[in-house]
């Protein structure tokens, strides 16, 4: 596969608007921005995908948010914040640098046509599965509407698979499609009502407080959605609640898709998550939750959504987003025995 005439590295993607200059050779102890490779538009031939473990993808879409958001700026904000992190996880004693990670760039977005943006996202995931199905996609959103399109893209590429969702979120995201359309408030309902997934194959951890209407809980119950409130997860232990959800899903599905809405975090630690609320998760709870998910062999993709860097304070939430990505990759490295 060549780049010339077909796109970067296939038609649905654009190069990232921001990229780091990667040193050659790499330092013995690289920072994350030195470790992650950005696919080069000037390469005549695509890389040897068999040599890649993880493919990063930016989805800079936020026009489909219920409220105004600059989540479209998040992929580049995360990329810029890589410089603050090393590849070594002190808590776990894991060095991520043996993982081979490539940043593919961003899904092409239309200026005004949200439906076109959503089609591009679906097609980009399907193409990723076509060109390098062994790699683990880690997607940097964007608002939560993208999750429905990414999972639909996976399903197009793997129609025989039964897909489960592990959702870390303050909200059900089950609002009516008739009233709202494919927004950041409807991705899970979108997937259920389109027949892409079954309601019983969704596990949500993080719900709390006064932030979900009773009608949404009633829809979740009718659809068979499994959910654990944050209070209940803390009573059990968040780690145990995540492990139990993974075990439950793994007994039923072929693939588990992890979606992390950054509003699952308490608003005090995530000012850049527009819908974050009082009483949400602590950062260390989220980091451990995604690490555990990363260790599970059926967790085959992850996205991180609903972070608005324009609302952030001193990059607090952006740094938490990078830490969440790296924590997930720590679990993935542990899965691979690195």
């Amino acid at each position: 596969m060549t780049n010339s005439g077909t796109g970067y590295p296939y038609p649905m993607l654009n190069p990232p608007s921001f990229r780091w200059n990667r040193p050659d050779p790499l330092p013995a102890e690289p920072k994350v921005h030195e470790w992650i490779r950005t696919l080069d538009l000037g390469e005549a031939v695509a890389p040897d995908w068999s040599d890649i473990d993880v493919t990063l993808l930016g989805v800079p879409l936020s026009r489909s948010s219920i409220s105004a958001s600059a989540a479209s700026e998040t992929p580049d904000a995360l990329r810029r914040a890589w410089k603050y992190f090393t590849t070594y996880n002190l808590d776990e004693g894991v060095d991520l640098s043996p993982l081979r990670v490539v940043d593919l760039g961003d899904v092409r977005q239309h200026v005004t046509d949200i439906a076109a943006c959503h089609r591009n996202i679906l097609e980009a995931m399907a193409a990723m599965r076509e060109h390098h199905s062994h790699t683990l996609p880690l997607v940097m959103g964007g608002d939560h509407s993208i999750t429905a399109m990414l999972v639909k893209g996976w399903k197009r590429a793997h129609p025989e698979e039964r897909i489960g969702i592990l959702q870390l979120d303050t909200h059900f995201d089950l609002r009516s499609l008739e009233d709202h359309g494919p927004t950041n408030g409807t991705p899970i309902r979108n997937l259920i009502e389109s027949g892409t997934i079954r309601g019983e194959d969704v596990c949500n951890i993080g719900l709390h407080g006064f932030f979900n209407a009773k009608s949404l809980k009633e829809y979740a119950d009718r659809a068979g959605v499994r959910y654990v409130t944050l209070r209940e997860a803390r009573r059990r232990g968040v780690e145990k609640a995540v492990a139990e959800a993974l075990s439950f899903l793994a007994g039923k599905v072929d693939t588990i898709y992890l979606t992390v809405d950054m509003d699952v975090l308490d608003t005090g630690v995530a000012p850049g998550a527009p819908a974050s609320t009082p009483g949400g998760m602590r950062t260390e709870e989220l980091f451990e939750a995604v690490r555990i998910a990363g260790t599970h062999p059926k967790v085959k993709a992850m996205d991180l959504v609903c972070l608005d860097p324009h609302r952030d304070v001193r990059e607090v939430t952006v740094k938490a987003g990078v830490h969440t990505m790296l924590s997930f990759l720590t679990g993935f490295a542990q899965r691979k025995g690195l």
Side-chain angles (χ1 to χ4, degrees):
M1 181 183 66
T2 63
N3 287 328
S4 58
T6 60
Y8 173 85
Y10 27 85
M12 289 68 64
L13 303 187
N14 286 327
S17 59
F18 174 84
R19 60 179 294 167
W20 293 96
N21 292 321
R22 192 169 189 256
D24 186 17
L26 284 179
E29 296 182 314
K31 291 288 193 74
V32 168
H33 71 285
E34 298 170 321
W35 161 59
I36 294 174
R37 173 186 171 190
T38 301
L39 202 60
D40 191 346
L41 183 61
E43 294 180 22
V45 179
D48 179 1
W49 295 114
S50 66
D51 196 42
I52 305 300
D53 299 307
V54 178
T55 40
L56 302 183
L57 180 68
V59 183
L61 175 66
S62 58
R63 291 180 180 86
S64 38
S65 294
I66 293 172
S67 55
S69 168
S72 56
E73 306 304 310
T74 300
D76 276 351
L78 294 170
R79 291 176 176 118
R80 290 176 184 274
W82 290 344
K83 67 180 180 181
Y84 300 121
F85 296 83
T86 72
T87 60
Y88 182 66
N89 185 326
L90 180 66
D91 294 309
E92 296 294 324
V94 171
D95 185 2
L96 297 179
S97 61
L99 284 176
R100 296 155 301 182
V101 181
V102 169
D103 182 357
L104 298 178
D106 293 335
V107 178
R108 188 170 299 162
Q109 302 296 302
H110 192 278
V111 175
T112 59
D113 190 339
I114 294 173
C117 296
H118 282 164
R119 285 194 298 272
N120 289 350
I121 295 165
L122 188 158
E123 291 170 5
M125 175 60 91
M128 290 173 74
R129 304 310 298 159
E130 175 188 349
H131 291 294
H132 36 79
S133 61
H134 71 284
T135 68
L136 184 143
L138 201 169
V139 180
M140 304 176 288
D143 69 41
H144 217 169
S145 74
I146 74 170
T147 298
M149 305 307 145
L150 292 164
V151 176
K152 287 180 180 182
W154 187 287
K155 185 69 172 179
R156 176 183 290 182
H158 306 289
E160 75 290 351
E161 287 191 2
R162 183 171 170 179
I163 303 170
I165 306 289
L166 177 57
Q167 178 186 5
L168 303 180
D169 203 331
T170 286
H171 305 96
F172 279 114
D173 286 352
L174 293 171
R175 295 193 189 207
S176 167
L177 287 163
E178 183 177 342
D179 295 337
H180 294 272
T183 70
N184 64 333
T186 62
I188 305 304
R189 189 158 180 163
N190 190 335
L191 290 168
I192 293 170
E193 295 192 350
S194 65
T196 308
I197 64 172
R198 305 179 190 182
E200 65 193 79
D201 295 340
V202 178
C203 288
N204 181 312
I205 299 174
L207 303 164
H208 63 277
F210 301 89
F211 311 108
N212 291 275
K214 182 181 179 181
S215 60
L216 299 182
K217 177 187 181 299
E218 291 170 343
Y219 178 89
D221 292 337
R222 290 195 304 272
V225 171
R226 183 182 176 98
Y227 52 90
V228 181
T229 66
L230 185 53
R231 181 169 66 177
E232 175 63 16
R234 283 175 170 154
R235 188 187 66 80
R236 298 185 201 174
V238 172
E239 298 91 340
K240 185 177 180 182
V242 171
E244 288 173 349
L246 290 167
S247 178
F248 171 80
L249 290 171
K252 302 170 69 175
V253 305
D254 302 297
T255 289
I256 300 172
Y257 184 101
L258 172 64
T259 180
V260 179
D261 189 324
M262 290 298 286
D263 72 25
V264 76
L265 289 172
D266 187 275
T267 194
V269 297
S276 61
T277 60
M281 273 192 185
R282 301 186 295 271
T283 51
E284 66 270 22
E285 292 174 324
L286 177 58
F287 300 157
E288 184 62 7
V290 298
R291 186 198 65 79
I292 292 169
T295 66
H296 199 285
K298 285 196 173 181
V299 176
K300 300 176 187 176
M302 172 193 167
D303 68 41
L304 184 148
V305 298
C306 292
L307 194 168
D308 181 345
H310 288 187
R311 297 192 186 191
D312 210 2
V313 178
R314 297 184 63 187
E315 298 180 275
V316 168
T317 320
V318 170
K319 289 178 181 177
V322 175
H323 202 305
T324 299
M325 294 168 55
L326 297 177
S327 296
F328 176 72
L329 290 178
T330 296
F332 183 60
Q334 292 171 324
R335 183 199 312 186
K336 292 175 68 68
L338 299 178

